[in-house]
Amino acid sequence: MSEPAIFLNFRMKQHITYSDMCKEAVGIAEKLNINPIGDFSRIAVLGMGGSGVAGDLLKDLMKYDSEKDIEIVKDYILPKNIDSNTLVFCISYSGDTEETLSQFLQATKRGCQIISITSGGRLKQWSEKKNIPVITLPSGYQPRDALPYMFLPIVVVLKKLGIADYSEDIKEAMNVANKIDTKIMEDVASGCRNCNIAIYGPANYSGIVARFKNEFNENSKMLVYSGCVPEMHHNEINGYQRMGKDSNIKVILLRDKDESVETRERFEITKKIDAEHSSGIYEIWATGKSKLAKIMSYSYIASYITARISELDGINREKVEIIQTLKKELKERLNLAEKLEKSL
Ligand code: PA5
């Protein structure tokens, strides 16, 4: 099966397939000339929105089998434990996101071992000025569409630094989009239009749950409920009490053939509950054998479904007008990036 042509139509600028993008992303990182970094106990990913989600995916990939702490920071302030014992990936697709620039400067002052990932902007300039290695990405994408460019290089660099070797999994992940069944994605897209959406996945895919939510927000311009099993069984599930089959809420469950028996039983119970308290349930199964391939498959599915909804609804999915307006107003009020530049 080849990657669905319809997805190509959404990639207006480059007409590049997801698989090609993954291959290119790996190639870019392979070229990075990086010296072995000293010992460290923690990996931190700094970044916001479509860039920061690369950190969430890294946590999904590593959190249950890495001895290193993995911290994801999505704020202006760096927590105290991000110090010289921390390997930092500082990611901003545009290179001009003020929270990320603020984090970057704090990380340099604390002596963190930093690698920047960006297509340009201040982050690239500041990193070069401070002799910090930069993975430079192709420009012209919406940040969320460039996720493979931001996430896969981290995985490649981890191997270069002798931290974790996912080489075989990368090969599988690069081709996973070709193996995904288009029908389920089309069904979910057409079934979820004009509905309230709720997305639930297992706790070991919390980053992917966030990615789905964000893609609905940004591509389809829709609000969504989201959560992870088992935690949502202790709170959110109760919110369904006053919902009926006429509630116009569609539930998406992210399933994995390798999910634990507890997760499987919990999803089966969730399905029974939601059969009474929602207007429809979809199950989306990860494709692939390795966790990395499954992560990339879910990420592709999220993009496909949400882009497809925007196309069906005649919405320009690329534009994020509210985010842009907000950033402009913040710049007028705070002008933080320029202030930070003076302290460089
Ligand atoms: O997808 C988007 O446009 C946003 O979520 C951005 O990624 C976010 O605002 C941060 O910008 P950047 O990725 O350029 O750092």
Side-chain angles (χ1 to χ4, degrees):
M1 197 191 313
S2 66
E3 205 173 308
I6 191 147
F7 194 67
L8 304 187
N9 299 335
F10 301 136
R11 305 213 165 277
M12 295 177 197
K13 297 230 159 49
Q14 274 84 355
H15 281 257
I16 183 171
T17 66
Y18 190 76
S19 299
D20 286 344
M21 189 187 264
C22 292
K23 284 175 197 149
E24 199 185 341
V26 170
I28 291 168
E30 301 276 11
K31 283 191 212 116
L32 182 73
N33 210 346
I34 187 161
N35 297 322
I37 289 184
D39 201 21
F40 56 89
S41 56
R42 195 171 301 105
I43 299 172
V45 182
L46 320 181
M48 307 302 298
S51 297
V53 83
D56 299 317
L57 300 193
L58 185 73
K59 202 159 182 178
D60 280 359
L61 181 66
M62 296 183 76
K63 78 177 160 191
Y64 291 102
D65 51 30
S66 171
E67 277 156 23
K68 311 268 183 217
D69 294 337
I70 301 174
E71 289 273 349
I72 315 301
V73 187
K74 302 187 184 200
D75 194 1
Y76 290 90
I77 307 286
L78 275 193
K80 282 232 160 53
N81 64 345
I82 312 289
D83 55 17
S84 57
N85 274 324
T86 312
L87 170 65
V88 164
F89 292 94
C90 189
I91 315 180
S92 168
Y93 183 73
S94 65
D96 283 316
T97 298
E98 61 177 44
E99 299 95 310
T100 317
L101 292 171
S102 166
Q103 295 166 345
F104 171 84
L105 277 191
Q106 290 167 69
T108 57
K109 285 180 186 144
R110 289 192 200 168
C112 302
Q113 311 182 54
I114 308 173
I115 296 171
S116 297
I117 303 180
T118 182
S119 70
R122 286 186 169 90
L123 182 58
K124 184 167 162 66
Q125 288 163 21
W126 295 5
S127 301
E128 285 170 354
K129 196 164 171 185
K130 291 192 170 286
N131 286 324
I132 285 168
V134 187
I135 298 179
T136 305
L137 311 177
S139 57
Y141 289 90
Q142 288 297 324
R144 60 192 177 280
D145 292 343
L147 180 64
Y149 288 130
M150 295 186 274
F151 173 52
L152 289 176
I154 301 179
V155 182
V156 172
V157 166
L158 292 180
K159 169 160 190 236
K160 280 182 181 261
L161 295 178
I163 300 163
D165 185 353
Y166 290 100
S167 309
E168 286 307 308
D169 303 350
I170 288 178
K171 281 186 211 149
E172 190 197 7
M174 287 195 299
N175 292 308
V176 78
N178 296 324
K179 303 197 168 89
I180 298 169
D181 181 7
T182 315
K183 186 176 178 312
I184 178 69
M185 300 191 285
E186 288 290 332
D187 288 350
V188 177
S190 57
C192 286
R193 292 173 68 196
N194 305 312
C195 289
N196 298 307
I197 310 294
I199 298 161
Y200 304 115
N204 61 338
Y205 282 102
S206 60
I208 278 295
V209 171
R211 173 68 172 170
F212 264 85
K213 185 195 87 63
N214 298 349
E215 289 284 77
F216 268 99
N217 300 153
E218 293 192 70
N219 280 340
S220 316
K221 327 295 178 204
M222 290 165 79
L223 285 173
V224 263
Y225 304 98
S226 66
C228 289
V229 164
E231 175 62 15
M232 61 83 65
H233 282 168
H234 298 273
N235 33 61
E236 182 143 334
I237 196 76
N238 220 47
Y240 284 86
Q241 185 165 319
R242 292 205 269 170
M243 302 277 187
K245 288 181 181 167
D246 58 351
S247 60
N248 200 29
I249 184 155
K250 292 281 168 58
V251 176
I252 300 175
L253 303 178
L254 302 180
R255 306 293 306 266
D256 172 8
K257 65 180 171 14
D258 299 317
E259 66 200 8
S260 68
V261 66
E262 294 84 3
T263 300
R264 187 172 67 233
E265 295 308 326
R266 281 180 177 275
F267 274 133
E268 293 309 317
I269 300 168
T270 309
K271 276 162 55 182
K272 259 174 50 190
I273 295 167
D274 286 337
E276 296 303 315
H277 296 280
S278 76
S279 58
I281 304 165
Y282 295 100
E283 291 180 282
I284 297 177
W285 292 84
T287 302
K289 288 196 187 100
S290 64
K291 184 138 191 200
L292 184 61
K294 288 176 190 172
I295 287 170
M296 296 312 286
S297 79
Y298 276 139
S299 167
Y300 176 81
I301 293 167
S303 302
Y304 185 103
I305 290 171
T306 55
R308 184 77 173 120
I309 290 174
S310 69
E311 190 187 69
L312 293 169
D313 288 349
I315 293 167
N316 181 340
R317 73 160 197 100
E318 294 224 10
K319 282 195 176 166
V320 281
E321 282 162 0
I322 295 184
I323 295 177
Q324 296 307 344
T325 307
L326 195 146
K327 285 185 178 180
K328 186 167 169 276
E329 191 170 336
L330 260 179
K331 190 172 178 224
E332 283 159 14
R333 288 174 185 233
L334 300 175
N335 201 15
L336 185 65
E338 280 186 28
K339 284 183 194 152
L340 291 171
E341 194 151 46
K342 290 191 182 121
S343 70
L344 197 63

